């Protein structure tokens, strides 16, 4: 599922050639801070995918929201529900 999500997100990427140095710039709308800049389009795509993977790893590890792409929701619902249940237990025993 993660691979399909990343592939779908990469299909949303937009690229441009920067006028000042002729390098390639790429970003994915909706993924704040996910961008890449490289000498070739292939290098830019590779760097953008690596940046996206790192961004997803960080956000998911901290249970932060990520965009729903191609109907895929990566929200970790079980962890969120477990945390709510834990908070209920703490309240019930008076901690």
């Amino acid at each position: 599922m993660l691979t399909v999500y990343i592939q779908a997100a990469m299909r949303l990427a937009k690229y441009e050639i920067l006028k000042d140095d002729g390098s390639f710039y790429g970003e994915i709308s909706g993924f704040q801070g996910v961008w890449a800049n490289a000498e070739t389009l292939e290098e830019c795509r590779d760097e953008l995918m690596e940046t996206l993977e790192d961004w997803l790893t960080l956000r998911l590890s901290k249970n932060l929201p990520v965009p729903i792409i191609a109907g895929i929701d990566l929200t970790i619902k079980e962890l969120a529900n477990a945390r709510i249940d834990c908070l209920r237990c703490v309240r019930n025993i008076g901690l």
Side-chain angles (χ1 to χ4, degrees):
M1 177 168 60
L2 186 58
T3 300
V4 174
Y5 181 94
I6 290 170
Q7 290 170 344
M10 289 298 294
R11 283 193 290 276
L12 300 175
K14 302 291 183 201
Y15 301 93
E16 64 181 273
I17 299 172
L18 299 178
K19 292 180 182 181
D20 60 338
D21 65 0
S23 66
F24 289 83
Y25 171 82
E27 64 182 12
I28 306 171
S29 179
F31 292 81
Q32 184 178 1
V34 177
W35 60 273
N37 181 244
E39 292 298 315
T40 68
L41 181 57
E42 184 176 343
E43 289 172 347
C44 188
R45 284 183 181 143
D46 290 345
E47 189 175 314
L48 186 61
M49 185 181 299
E50 185 177 330
T51 302
L52 174 60
E53 290 170 352
D54 291 346
W55 186 88
L56 285 169
T57 299
L58 175 68
R59 298 206 46 102
L60 293 172
S61 72
K62 297 193 174 290
N63 202 29
L64 297 171
V66 297
I68 296 172
I69 301 293
I72 302 171
D73 184 356
L74 295 180
T75 303
I76 304 171
K77 294 180 176 95
E78 290 181 27
L79 178 60
N81 291 337
R83 187 173 182 185
I84 290 169
D85 289 342
C86 182
L87 290 173
R88 286 182 187 141
C89 291
V90 168
R91 285 188 203 123
N92 288 338
I93 61 173
L95 292 178

